[in-house]
PDB file of all heavy atoms in Angstrom:
ATOM      1  N   ILE A   1      11.482   6.320  17.816  1.00 98.00           N
ATOM      2  CA  ILE A   1      12.155   5.834  16.626  1.00 98.00           C
ATOM      3  C   ILE A   1      11.364   4.699  15.961  1.00 98.00           C
ATOM      4  O   ILE A   1      11.198   4.670  14.753  1.00 98.00           O
ATOM      5  CB  ILE A   1      13.597   5.433  16.913  1.00 98.00           C
ATOM      6  CG1 ILE A   1      14.404   6.689  17.237  1.00 98.00           C
ATOM      7  CG2 ILE A   1      14.233   4.614  15.775  1.00 98.00           C
ATOM      8  CD1 ILE A   1      15.780   6.378  17.814  1.00 98.00           C
ATOM      9  N   VAL A   2      10.837   3.791  16.782  1.00 98.00           N
ATOM     10  CA  VAL A   2      10.054   2.653  16.249  1.00 98.00           C
ATOM     11  C   VAL A   2       8.804   3.152  15.592  1.00 98.00           C
ATOM     12  O   VAL A   2       8.431   2.728  14.456  1.00 98.00           O
ATOM     13  CB  VAL A   2       9.768   1.622  17.386  1.00 98.00           C
ATOM     14  CG1 VAL A   2       8.724   0.610  16.948  1.00 98.00           C
ATOM     15  CG2 VAL A   2      11.024   0.909  17.817  1.00 98.00           C
ATOM     16  N   LYS A   3       8.092   4.074  16.289  1.00 97.00           N
ATOM     17  CA  LYS A   3       6.871   4.643  15.636  1.00 97.00           C
ATOM     18  C   LYS A   3       7.186   5.342  14.342  1.00 97.00           C
ATOM     19  O   LYS A   3       6.367   5.332  13.433  1.00 97.00           O
ATOM     20  CB  LYS A   3       6.155   5.567  16.659  1.00 97.00           C
ATOM     21  CG  LYS A   3       5.647   4.858  17.884  1.00 97.00           C
ATOM     22  CD  LYS A   3       4.475   3.980  17.530  1.00 97.00           C
ATOM     23  CE  LYS A   3       3.829   3.367  18.748  1.00 97.00           C
ATOM     24  NZ  LYS A   3       2.664   2.567  18.440  1.00 97.00           N
ATOM     25  N   LEU A   4       8.221   6.114  14.337  1.00 97.00           N
ATOM     26  CA  LEU A   4       8.605   6.809  13.120  1.00 97.00           C
ATOM     27  C   LEU A   4       8.843   5.860  11.929  1.00 97.00           C
ATOM     28  O   LEU A   4       8.421   6.117  10.861  1.00 97.00           O
ATOM     29  CB  LEU A   4       9.866   7.677  13.373  1.00 97.00           C
ATOM     30  CG  LEU A   4      10.332   8.499  12.184  1.00 97.00           C
ATOM     31  CD1 LEU A   4       9.269   9.562  11.819  1.00 97.00           C
ATOM     32  CD2 LEU A   4      11.638   9.238  12.604  1.00 97.00           C
ATOM     33  N   ARG A   5       9.508   4.702  12.233  1.00 97.00           N
ATOM     34  CA  ARG A   5       9.691   3.705  11.243  1.00 97.00           C
ATOM     35  C   ARG A   5       8.388   3.140  10.764  1.00 97.00           C
ATOM     36  O   ARG A   5       8.169   2.918   9.514  1.00 97.00           O
ATOM     37  CB  ARG A   5      10.600   2.588  11.788  1.00 97.00           C
ATOM     38  CG  ARG A   5      12.030   3.138  11.933  1.00 97.00           C
ATOM     39  CD  ARG A   5      12.955   1.990  12.505  1.00 97.00           C
ATOM     40  NE  ARG A   5      13.140   0.997  11.473  1.00 97.00           N
ATOM     41  CZ  ARG A   5      13.501  -0.273  11.667  1.00 97.00           C
ATOM     42  NH1 ARG A   5      13.685  -0.645  12.911  1.00 97.00           N
ATOM     43  NH2 ARG A   5      13.622  -1.106  10.659  1.00 97.00           N
ATOM     44  N   TYR A   6       7.413   2.859  11.653  1.00 96.00           N
ATOM     45  CA  TYR A   6       6.104   2.357  11.275  1.00 96.00           C
ATOM     46  C   TYR A   6       5.365   3.356  10.372  1.00 96.00           C
ATOM     47  O   TYR A   6       4.747   2.980   9.424  1.00 96.00           O
ATOM     48  CB  TYR A   6       5.265   2.046  12.465  1.00 96.00           C
ATOM     49  CG  TYR A   6       5.563   0.688  13.147  1.00 96.00           C
ATOM     50  CD1 TYR A   6       5.702   0.599  14.554  1.00 96.00           C
ATOM     51  CD2 TYR A   6       5.733  -0.433  12.404  1.00 96.00           C
ATOM     52  CE1 TYR A   6       5.986  -0.613  15.118  1.00 96.00           C
ATOM     53  CE2 TYR A   6       6.021  -1.650  12.968  1.00 96.00           C
ATOM     54  CZ  TYR A   6       6.150  -1.705  14.323  1.00 96.00           C
ATOM     55  OH  TYR A   6       6.503  -2.889  14.939  1.00 96.00           O
ATOM     56  N   ILE A   7       5.434   4.636  10.719  1.00 97.00           N
ATOM     57  CA  ILE A   7       4.763   5.651   9.964  1.00 97.00           C
ATOM     58  C   ILE A   7       5.341   5.817   8.609  1.00 97.00           C
ATOM     59  O   ILE A   7       4.616   5.896   7.570  1.00 97.00           O
ATOM     60  CB  ILE A   7       4.752   6.999  10.792  1.00 97.00           C
ATOM     61  CG1 ILE A   7       3.884   6.900  11.965  1.00 97.00           C
ATOM     62  CG2 ILE A   7       4.378   8.157   9.846  1.00 97.00           C
ATOM     63  CD1 ILE A   7       3.999   8.138  12.878  1.00 97.00           C
ATOM     64  N   ARG A   8       6.636   5.790   8.478  1.00 97.00           N
ATOM     65  CA  ARG A   8       7.312   5.818   7.151  1.00 97.00           C
ATOM     66  C   ARG A   8       6.912   4.618   6.314  1.00 97.00           C
ATOM     67  O   ARG A   8       6.655   4.747   5.097  1.00 97.00           O
ATOM     68  CB  ARG A   8       8.823   5.863   7.296  1.00 97.00           C
ATOM     69  CG  ARG A   8       9.294   7.237   7.708  1.00 97.00           C
ATOM     70  CD  ARG A   8      10.806   7.218   7.787  1.00 97.00           C
ATOM     71  NE  ARG A   8      11.276   8.606   8.124  1.00 97.00           N
ATOM     72  CZ  ARG A   8      12.524   8.848   8.578  1.00 97.00           C
ATOM     73  NH1 ARG A   8      13.404   7.874   8.631  1.00 97.00           N
ATOM     74  NH2 ARG A   8      12.828  10.038   8.853  1.00 97.00           N
ATOM     75  N   GLN A   9       6.855   3.369   6.956  1.00 96.00           N
ATOM     76  CA  GLN A   9       6.524   2.220   6.191  1.00 96.00           C
ATOM     77  C   GLN A   9       5.041   2.306   5.722  1.00 96.00           C
ATOM     78  O   GLN A   9       4.736   2.017   4.580  1.00 96.00           O
ATOM     79  CB  GLN A   9       6.653   0.982   7.093  1.00 96.00           C
ATOM     80  CG  GLN A   9       6.175  -0.276   6.389  1.00 96.00           C
ATOM     81  CD  GLN A   9       6.154  -1.464   7.354  1.00 96.00           C
ATOM     82  OE1 GLN A   9       6.308  -1.334   8.576  1.00 96.00           O
ATOM     83  NE2 GLN A   9       6.051  -2.660   6.774  1.00 96.00           N
ATOM     84  N   ALA A  10       4.134   2.813   6.587  1.00 96.00           N
ATOM     85  CA  ALA A  10       2.751   2.926   6.206  1.00 96.00           C
ATOM     86  C   ALA A  10       2.613   3.956   5.066  1.00 96.00           C
ATOM     87  O   ALA A  10       1.797   3.768   4.109  1.00 96.00           O
ATOM     88  CB  ALA A  10       1.949   3.417   7.418  1.00 96.00           C
ATOM     89  N   TYR A  11       3.357   5.053   5.134  1.00 97.00           N
ATOM     90  CA  TYR A  11       3.285   6.097   4.055  1.00 97.00           C
ATOM     91  C   TYR A  11       3.744   5.460   2.709  1.00 97.00           C
ATOM     92  O   TYR A  11       3.085   5.642   1.728  1.00 97.00           O
ATOM     93  CB  TYR A  11       4.130   7.289   4.458  1.00 97.00           C
ATOM     94  CG  TYR A  11       4.126   8.319   3.397  1.00 97.00           C
ATOM     95  CD1 TYR A  11       3.018   9.203   3.250  1.00 97.00           C
ATOM     96  CD2 TYR A  11       5.153   8.494   2.524  1.00 97.00           C
ATOM     97  CE1 TYR A  11       2.979  10.130   2.288  1.00 97.00           C
ATOM     98  CE2 TYR A  11       5.113   9.455   1.517  1.00 97.00           C
ATOM     99  CZ  TYR A  11       4.019  10.306   1.423  1.00 97.00           C
ATOM    100  OH  TYR A  11       4.016  11.233   0.446  1.00 97.00           O
ATOM    101  N   ARG A  12       4.912   4.786   2.728  1.00 97.00           N
ATOM    102  CA  ARG A  12       5.416   4.129   1.487  1.00 97.00           C
ATOM    103  C   ARG A  12       4.454   3.164   0.911  1.00 97.00           C
ATOM    104  O   ARG A  12       4.189   3.089  -0.245  1.00 97.00           O
ATOM    105  CB  ARG A  12       6.772   3.524   1.731  1.00 97.00           C
ATOM    106  CG  ARG A  12       7.930   4.531   1.754  1.00 97.00           C
ATOM    107  CD  ARG A  12       9.268   3.737   1.703  1.00 97.00           C
ATOM    108  NE  ARG A  12       9.353   2.724   2.704  1.00 97.00           N
ATOM    109  CZ  ARG A  12       9.938   2.855   3.897  1.00 97.00           C
ATOM    110  NH1 ARG A  12      10.450   3.996   4.257  1.00 97.00           N
ATOM    111  NH2 ARG A  12       9.986   1.840   4.709  1.00 97.00           N
ATOM    112  N   GLN A  13       3.955   2.325   1.820  1.00 96.00           N
ATOM    113  CA  GLN A  13       3.035   1.261   1.326  1.00 96.00           C
ATOM    114  C   GLN A  13       1.726   1.846   0.834  1.00 96.00           C
ATOM    115  O   GLN A  13       1.135   1.327  -0.142  1.00 96.00           O
ATOM    116  CB  GLN A  13       2.817   0.199   2.421  1.00 96.00           C
ATOM    117  CG  GLN A  13       3.955  -0.693   2.681  1.00 96.00           C
ATOM    118  CD  GLN A  13       3.643  -1.825   3.650  1.00 96.00           C
ATOM    119  OE1 GLN A  13       2.529  -1.965   4.095  1.00 96.00           O
ATOM    120  NE2 GLN A  13       4.670  -2.590   3.963  1.00 96.00           N
ATOM    121  N   SER A  14       1.222   2.884   1.499  1.00 96.00           N
ATOM    122  CA  SER A  14       0.000   3.525   1.050  1.00 96.00           C
ATOM    123  C   SER A  14       0.170   4.219  -0.310  1.00 96.00           C
ATOM    124  O   SER A  14      -0.684   4.087  -1.148  1.00 96.00           O
ATOM    125  CB  SER A  14      -0.507   4.551   2.064  1.00 96.00           C
ATOM    126  OG  SER A  14      -0.899   3.934   3.255  1.00 96.00           O
ATOM    127  N   ALA A  15       1.325   4.829  -0.483  1.00 96.00           N
ATOM    128  CA  ALA A  15       1.619   5.460  -1.775  1.00 96.00           C
ATOM    129  C   ALA A  15       1.695   4.395  -2.906  1.00 96.00           C
ATOM    130  O   ALA A  15       1.206   4.527  -4.018  1.00 96.00           O
ATOM    131  CB  ALA A  15       2.892   6.223  -1.726  1.00 96.00           C
ATOM    132  N   SER A  16       2.383   3.255  -2.593  1.00 96.00           N
ATOM    133  CA  SER A  16       2.473   2.183  -3.505  1.00 96.00           C
ATOM    134  C   SER A  16       1.084   1.624  -3.850  1.00 96.00           C
ATOM    135  O   SER A  16       0.781   1.376  -5.069  1.00 96.00           O
ATOM    136  CB  SER A  16       3.362   1.056  -2.927  1.00 96.00           C
ATOM    137  OG  SER A  16       3.363  -0.078  -3.792  1.00 96.00           O
ATOM    138  N   PHE A  17       0.270   1.399  -2.849  1.00 96.00           N
ATOM    139  CA  PHE A  17      -1.057   0.807  -3.127  1.00 96.00           C
ATOM    140  C   PHE A  17      -1.916   1.786  -3.909  1.00 96.00           C
ATOM    141  O   PHE A  17      -2.645   1.431  -4.863  1.00 96.00           O
ATOM    142  CB  PHE A  17      -1.749   0.479  -1.863  1.00 96.00           C
ATOM    143  CG  PHE A  17      -3.174   0.009  -2.088  1.00 96.00           C
ATOM    144  CD1 PHE A  17      -3.418  -1.272  -2.592  1.00 96.00           C
ATOM    145  CD2 PHE A  17      -4.267   0.855  -1.837  1.00 96.00           C
ATOM    146  CE1 PHE A  17      -4.712  -1.652  -2.878  1.00 96.00           C
ATOM    147  CE2 PHE A  17      -5.517   0.397  -2.041  1.00 96.00           C
ATOM    148  CZ  PHE A  17      -5.742  -0.881  -2.609  1.00 96.00           C
ATOM    149  N   THR A  18      -1.914   3.075  -3.555  1.00 95.00           N
ATOM    150  CA  THR A  18      -2.701   4.048  -4.277  1.00 95.00           C
ATOM    151  C   THR A  18      -2.320   4.109  -5.786  1.00 95.00           C
ATOM    152  O   THR A  18      -3.170   4.102  -6.629  1.00 95.00           O
ATOM    153  CB  THR A  18      -2.527   5.449  -3.642  1.00 95.00           C
ATOM    154  OG1 THR A  18      -2.868   5.380  -2.280  1.00 95.00           O
ATOM    155  CG2 THR A  18      -3.352   6.485  -4.336  1.00 95.00           C
ATOM    156  N   GLU A  19      -1.042   4.085  -6.050  1.00 96.00           N
ATOM    157  CA  GLU A  19      -0.568   4.140  -7.460  1.00 96.00           C
ATOM    158  C   GLU A  19      -1.029   2.831  -8.135  1.00 96.00           C
ATOM    159  O   GLU A  19      -1.513   2.908  -9.254  1.00 96.00           O
ATOM    160  CB  GLU A  19       1.010   4.208  -7.478  1.00 96.00           C
ATOM    161  CG  GLU A  19       1.527   4.293  -8.856  1.00 96.00           C
ATOM    162  CD  GLU A  19       3.109   4.410  -8.860  1.00 96.00           C
ATOM    163  OE1 GLU A  19       3.624   4.951  -7.799  1.00 96.00           O
ATOM    164  OE2 GLU A  19       3.708   3.924  -9.772  1.00 96.00           O
ATOM    165  N   PHE A  20      -0.865   1.681  -7.518  1.00 95.00           N
ATOM    166  CA  PHE A  20      -1.345   0.455  -8.126  1.00 95.00           C
ATOM    167  C   PHE A  20      -2.839   0.451  -8.338  1.00 95.00           C
ATOM    168  O   PHE A  20      -3.315  -0.003  -9.329  1.00 95.00           O
ATOM    169  CB  PHE A  20      -0.897  -0.723  -7.268  1.00 95.00           C
ATOM    170  CG  PHE A  20      -1.273  -2.086  -7.783  1.00 95.00           C
ATOM    171  CD1 PHE A  20      -0.414  -2.653  -8.719  1.00 95.00           C
ATOM    172  CD2 PHE A  20      -2.454  -2.718  -7.473  1.00 95.00           C
ATOM    173  CE1 PHE A  20      -0.776  -3.912  -9.299  1.00 95.00           C
ATOM    174  CE2 PHE A  20      -2.789  -3.947  -8.061  1.00 95.00           C
ATOM    175  CZ  PHE A  20      -1.960  -4.543  -8.950  1.00 95.00           C
ATOM    176  N   PHE A  21      -3.584   0.960  -7.315  1.00 95.00           N
ATOM    177  CA  PHE A  21      -5.041   0.950  -7.425  1.00 95.00           C
ATOM    178  C   PHE A  21      -5.506   1.776  -8.671  1.00 95.00           C
ATOM    179  O   PHE A  21      -6.388   1.340  -9.392  1.00 95.00           O
ATOM    180  CB  PHE A  21      -5.623   1.571  -6.147  1.00 95.00           C
ATOM    181  CG  PHE A  21      -7.103   1.725  -6.191  1.00 95.00           C
ATOM    182  CD1 PHE A  21      -7.959   0.636  -5.978  1.00 95.00           C
ATOM    183  CD2 PHE A  21      -7.692   2.948  -6.515  1.00 95.00           C
ATOM    184  CE1 PHE A  21      -9.307   0.782  -6.019  1.00 95.00           C
ATOM    185  CE2 PHE A  21      -9.093   3.103  -6.518  1.00 95.00           C
ATOM    186  CZ  PHE A  21      -9.867   2.018  -6.274  1.00 95.00           C
ATOM    187  N   TRP A  22      -4.931   2.959  -8.882  1.00 95.00           N
ATOM    188  CA  TRP A  22      -5.406   3.792  -9.927  1.00 95.00           C
ATOM    189  C   TRP A  22      -4.978   3.213 -11.319  1.00 95.00           C
ATOM    190  O   TRP A  22      -5.586   3.535 -12.328  1.00 95.00           O
ATOM    191  CB  TRP A  22      -4.932   5.251  -9.760  1.00 95.00           C
ATOM    192  CG  TRP A  22      -5.723   5.892  -8.695  1.00 95.00           C
ATOM    193  CD1 TRP A  22      -5.153   6.325  -7.492  1.00 95.00           C
ATOM    194  CD2 TRP A  22      -7.130   6.145  -8.647  1.00 95.00           C
ATOM    195  NE1 TRP A  22      -6.185   6.838  -6.717  1.00 95.00           N
ATOM    196  CE2 TRP A  22      -7.376   6.812  -7.436  1.00 95.00           C
ATOM    197  CE3 TRP A  22      -8.155   5.959  -9.501  1.00 95.00           C
ATOM    198  CZ2 TRP A  22      -8.669   7.168  -7.023  1.00 95.00           C
ATOM    199  CZ3 TRP A  22      -9.444   6.338  -9.151  1.00 95.00           C
ATOM    200  CH2 TRP A  22      -9.668   6.973  -7.894  1.00 95.00           C
ATOM    201  N   GLU A  23      -3.886   2.409 -11.311  1.00 94.00           N
ATOM    202  CA  GLU A  23      -3.468   1.841 -12.624  1.00 94.00           C
ATOM    203  C   GLU A  23      -4.162   0.547 -12.887  1.00 94.00           C
ATOM    204  O   GLU A  23      -4.210   0.050 -14.038  1.00 94.00           O
ATOM    205  CB  GLU A  23      -1.930   1.573 -12.601  1.00 94.00           C
ATOM    206  CG  GLU A  23      -1.172   2.865 -12.610  1.00 94.00           C
ATOM    207  CD  GLU A  23       0.357   2.621 -12.429  1.00 94.00           C
ATOM    208  OE1 GLU A  23       0.745   1.434 -12.248  1.00 94.00           O
ATOM    209  OE2 GLU A  23       1.148   3.569 -12.439  1.00 94.00           O
ATOM    210  N   SER A  24      -4.736  -0.063 -11.865  1.00 91.00           N
ATOM    211  CA  SER A  24      -5.373  -1.378 -11.990  1.00 91.00           C
ATOM    212  C   SER A  24      -6.780  -1.206 -12.598  1.00 91.00           C
ATOM    213  O   SER A  24      -7.491  -0.221 -12.285  1.00 91.00           O
ATOM    214  CB  SER A  24      -5.480  -2.077 -10.608  1.00 91.00           C
ATOM    215  OG  SER A  24      -6.137  -3.286 -10.715  1.00 91.00           O
ATOM    216  N   ARG A  25      -7.234  -2.194 -13.352  1.00 89.00           N
ATOM    217  CA  ARG A  25      -8.580  -2.191 -13.868  1.00 89.00           C
ATOM    218  C   ARG A  25      -9.461  -3.203 -13.222  1.00 89.00           C
ATOM    219  O   ARG A  25     -10.657  -3.226 -13.373  1.00 89.00           O
ATOM    220  CB  ARG A  25      -8.512  -2.551 -15.340  1.00 89.00           C
ATOM    221  CG  ARG A  25      -7.722  -1.595 -16.229  1.00 89.00           C
ATOM    222  CD  ARG A  25      -8.541  -0.333 -16.454  1.00 89.00           C
ATOM    223  NE  ARG A  25      -7.801   0.506 -17.400  1.00 89.00           N
ATOM    224  CZ  ARG A  25      -7.882   1.837 -17.270  1.00 89.00           C
ATOM    225  NH1 ARG A  25      -8.586   2.421 -16.325  1.00 89.00           N
ATOM    226  NH2 ARG A  25      -7.160   2.561 -18.055  1.00 89.00           N
ATOM    227  N   ASP A  26      -8.896  -4.034 -12.312  1.00 91.00           N
ATOM    228  CA  ASP A  26      -9.640  -5.084 -11.665  1.00 91.00           C
ATOM    229  C   ASP A  26      -9.513  -4.973 -10.191  1.00 91.00           C
ATOM    230  O   ASP A  26      -8.317  -4.938  -9.627  1.00 91.00           O
ATOM    231  CB  ASP A  26      -9.099  -6.411 -12.197  1.00 91.00           C
ATOM    232  CG  ASP A  26      -9.895  -7.571 -11.741  1.00 91.00           C
ATOM    233  OD1 ASP A  26     -11.002  -7.430 -11.181  1.00 91.00           O
ATOM    234  OD2 ASP A  26      -9.416  -8.738 -11.853  1.00 91.00           O
ATOM    235  N   PHE A  27     -10.617  -4.988  -9.477  1.00 92.00           N
ATOM    236  CA  PHE A  27     -10.570  -4.848  -8.019  1.00 92.00           C
ATOM    237  C   PHE A  27      -9.915  -6.061  -7.380  1.00 92.00           C
ATOM    238  O   PHE A  27      -9.333  -5.956  -6.320  1.00 92.00           O
ATOM    239  CB  PHE A  27     -11.990  -4.654  -7.465  1.00 92.00           C
ATOM    240  CG  PHE A  27     -12.532  -3.286  -7.529  1.00 92.00           C
ATOM    241  CD1 PHE A  27     -13.838  -2.996  -7.505  1.00 92.00           C
ATOM    242  CD2 PHE A  27     -11.676  -2.189  -7.679  1.00 92.00           C
ATOM    243  CE1 PHE A  27     -14.371  -1.750  -7.546  1.00 92.00           C
ATOM    244  CE2 PHE A  27     -12.149  -0.888  -7.769  1.00 92.00           C
ATOM    245  CZ  PHE A  27     -13.511  -0.664  -7.722  1.00 92.00           C
ATOM    246  N   SER A  28     -10.083  -7.233  -7.987  1.00 91.00           N
ATOM    247  CA  SER A  28      -9.493  -8.433  -7.393  1.00 91.00           C
ATOM    248  C   SER A  28      -7.915  -8.380  -7.406  1.00 91.00           C
ATOM    249  O   SER A  28      -7.272  -8.803  -6.483  1.00 91.00           O
ATOM    250  CB  SER A  28      -9.934  -9.699  -8.101  1.00 91.00           C
ATOM    251  OG  SER A  28      -9.566  -9.693  -9.455  1.00 91.00           O
ATOM    252  N   GLU A  29      -7.360  -7.703  -8.454  1.00 93.00           N
ATOM    253  CA  GLU A  29      -5.935  -7.472  -8.452  1.00 93.00           C
ATOM    254  C   GLU A  29      -5.481  -6.534  -7.402  1.00 93.00           C
ATOM    255  O   GLU A  29      -4.490  -6.683  -6.676  1.00 93.00           O
ATOM    256  CB  GLU A  29      -5.472  -6.929  -9.812  1.00 93.00           C
ATOM    257  CG  GLU A  29      -5.527  -7.910 -10.949  1.00 93.00           C
ATOM    258  CD  GLU A  29      -5.199  -7.248 -12.310  1.00 93.00           C
ATOM    259  OE1 GLU A  29      -4.730  -6.099 -12.283  1.00 93.00           O
ATOM    260  OE2 GLU A  29      -5.409  -7.920 -13.325  1.00 93.00           O
ATOM    261  N   ALA A  30      -6.337  -5.498  -7.242  1.00 94.00           N
ATOM    262  CA  ALA A  30      -6.016  -4.460  -6.221  1.00 94.00           C
ATOM    263  C   ALA A  30      -6.162  -5.156  -4.813  1.00 94.00           C
ATOM    264  O   ALA A  30      -5.395  -4.833  -3.884  1.00 94.00           O
ATOM    265  CB  ALA A  30      -6.963  -3.309  -6.323  1.00 94.00           C
ATOM    266  N   PHE A  31      -7.128  -6.012  -4.631  1.00 94.00           N
ATOM    267  CA  PHE A  31      -7.298  -6.738  -3.371  1.00 94.00           C
ATOM    268  C   PHE A  31      -6.076  -7.585  -3.101  1.00 94.00           C
ATOM    269  O   PHE A  31      -5.594  -7.610  -1.911  1.00 94.00           O
ATOM    270  CB  PHE A  31      -8.542  -7.602  -3.407  1.00 94.00           C
ATOM    271  CG  PHE A  31      -8.834  -8.309  -2.109  1.00 94.00           C
ATOM    272  CD1 PHE A  31      -9.263  -7.550  -1.008  1.00 94.00           C
ATOM    273  CD2 PHE A  31      -8.642  -9.641  -2.000  1.00 94.00           C
ATOM    274  CE1 PHE A  31      -9.506  -8.242   0.221  1.00 94.00           C
ATOM    275  CE2 PHE A  31      -8.890 -10.326  -0.810  1.00 94.00           C
ATOM    276  CZ  PHE A  31      -9.375  -9.647   0.309  1.00 94.00           C
ATOM    277  N   ALA A  32      -5.581  -8.286  -4.081  1.00 94.00           N
ATOM    278  CA  ALA A  32      -4.353  -9.132  -3.885  1.00 94.00           C
ATOM    279  C   ALA A  32      -3.165  -8.285  -3.491  1.00 94.00           C
ATOM    280  O   ALA A  32      -2.393  -8.618  -2.656  1.00 94.00           O
ATOM    281  CB  ALA A  32      -4.086  -9.919  -5.139  1.00 94.00           C
ATOM    282  N   LYS A  33      -3.006  -7.119  -4.137  1.00 95.00           N
ATOM    283  CA  LYS A  33      -1.916  -6.201  -3.773  1.00 95.00           C
ATOM    284  C   LYS A  33      -2.136  -5.666  -2.343  1.00 95.00           C
ATOM    285  O   LYS A  33      -1.173  -5.526  -1.569  1.00 95.00           O
ATOM    286  CB  LYS A  33      -1.919  -5.035  -4.779  1.00 95.00           C
ATOM    287  CG  LYS A  33      -0.874  -3.982  -4.554  1.00 95.00           C
ATOM    288  CD  LYS A  33       0.541  -4.520  -4.841  1.00 95.00           C
ATOM    289  CE  LYS A  33       1.553  -3.412  -4.782  1.00 95.00           C
ATOM    290  NZ  LYS A  33       2.941  -3.863  -5.066  1.00 95.00           N
ATOM    291  N   ALA A  34      -3.351  -5.344  -1.976  1.00 95.00           N
ATOM    292  CA  ALA A  34      -3.659  -4.854  -0.669  1.00 95.00           C
ATOM    293  C   ALA A  34      -3.335  -5.893   0.429  1.00 95.00           C
ATOM    294  O   ALA A  34      -2.877  -5.492   1.505  1.00 95.00           O
ATOM    295  CB  ALA A  34      -5.155  -4.450  -0.576  1.00 95.00           C
ATOM    296  N   LYS A  35      -3.522  -7.169   0.110  1.00 95.00           N
ATOM    297  CA  LYS A  35      -3.194  -8.214   1.089  1.00 95.00           C
ATOM    298  C   LYS A  35      -1.715  -8.254   1.338  1.00 95.00           C
ATOM    299  O   LYS A  35      -1.229  -8.645   2.385  1.00 95.00           O
ATOM    300  CB  LYS A  35      -3.675  -9.533   0.600  1.00 95.00           C
ATOM    301  CG  LYS A  35      -5.187  -9.660   0.760  1.00 95.00           C
ATOM    302  CD  LYS A  35      -5.737 -10.960   0.131  1.00 95.00           C
ATOM    303  CE  LYS A  35      -5.210 -12.171   0.727  1.00 95.00           C
ATOM    304  NZ  LYS A  35      -5.834 -13.413   0.213  1.00 95.00           N
ATOM    305  N   GLN A  36      -0.892  -7.854   0.347  1.00 95.00           N
ATOM    306  CA  GLN A  36       0.576  -7.861   0.494  1.00 95.00           C
ATOM    307  C   GLN A  36       1.078  -6.724   1.293  1.00 95.00           C
ATOM    308  O   GLN A  36       2.128  -6.808   1.950  1.00 95.00           O
ATOM    309  CB  GLN A  36       1.275  -7.816  -0.886  1.00 95.00           C
ATOM    310  CG  GLN A  36       1.005  -8.952  -1.773  1.00 95.00           C
ATOM    311  CD  GLN A  36       1.561  -8.709  -3.186  1.00 95.00           C
ATOM    312  OE1 GLN A  36       2.058  -7.711  -3.468  1.00 95.00           O
ATOM    313  NE2 GLN A  36       1.384  -9.795  -4.044  1.00 95.00           N
ATOM    314  N   LEU A  37       0.346  -5.601   1.359  1.00 95.00           N
ATOM    315  CA  LEU A  37       0.777  -4.429   2.039  1.00 95.00           C
ATOM    316  C   LEU A  37       0.066  -4.315   3.392  1.00 95.00           C
ATOM    317  O   LEU A  37      -0.863  -3.532   3.581  1.00 95.00           O
ATOM    318  CB  LEU A  37       0.485  -3.174   1.162  1.00 95.00           C
ATOM    319  CG  LEU A  37       1.119  -3.226  -0.251  1.00 95.00           C
ATOM    320  CD1 LEU A  37       0.638  -2.051  -1.093  1.00 95.00           C
ATOM    321  CD2 LEU A  37       2.637  -3.157  -0.085  1.00 95.00           C
ATOM    322  N   GLN A  38       0.495  -5.086   4.372  1.00 93.00           N
ATOM    323  CA  GLN A  38      -0.141  -5.181   5.652  1.00 93.00           C
ATOM    324  C   GLN A  38       0.011  -3.865   6.462  1.00 93.00           C
ATOM    325  O   GLN A  38      -0.782  -3.615   7.362  1.00 93.00           O
ATOM    326  CB  GLN A  38       0.394  -6.349   6.432  1.00 93.00           C
ATOM    327  CG  GLN A  38       0.072  -7.696   5.813  1.00 93.00           C
ATOM    328  CD  GLN A  38      -1.468  -7.954   5.884  1.00 93.00           C
ATOM    329  OE1 GLN A  38      -2.121  -7.638   6.896  1.00 93.00           O
ATOM    330  NE2 GLN A  38      -1.970  -8.520   4.874  1.00 93.00           N
ATOM    331  N   GLY A  39       1.053  -3.066   6.177  1.00 93.00           N
ATOM    332  CA  GLY A  39       1.276  -1.858   6.922  1.00 93.00           C
ATOM    333  C   GLY A  39       0.550  -0.633   6.461  1.00 93.00           C
ATOM    334  O   GLY A  39       0.645   0.438   7.105  1.00 93.00           O
ATOM    335  N   SER A  40      -0.129  -0.720   5.357  1.00 95.00           N
ATOM    336  CA  SER A  40      -0.830   0.365   4.776  1.00 95.00           C
ATOM    337  C   SER A  40      -2.270   0.529   5.280  1.00 95.00           C
ATOM    338  O   SER A  40      -3.064  -0.370   5.094  1.00 95.00           O
ATOM    339  CB  SER A  40      -0.889   0.255   3.243  1.00 95.00           C
ATOM    340  OG  SER A  40      -1.753   1.287   2.681  1.00 95.00           O
TER     341      SER A  40
END
């Protein structure tokens, strides 16, 4: 159950980062967002 929760969190955060990355024009903004998503 714990591992399943970690995998779901990683999936959600990865989807969030990927969406933000493709909408972002600046790598430094994407880097700041990536620092917030430690589980991705």
Side-chain angles (χ1 to χ4, degrees):
I1 290 169
V2 167
K3 293 291 184 178
L4 183 62
R5 291 179 69 202
Y6 280 134
I7 290 171
R8 284 184 179 163
Q9 177 188 13
Y11 179 78
R12 280 193 309 265
Q13 288 186 4
S14 292
S16 173
F17 176 74
T18 303
E19 183 179 331
F20 183 84
F21 175 80
W22 287 115
E23 291 174 357
S24 176
R25 299 282 183 215
D26 187 12
F27 280 159
S28 60
E29 289 176 9
F31 182 72
K33 179 73 171 180
K35 285 173 63 176
Q36 295 172 359
L37 302 173
Q38 294 294 322
S40 168

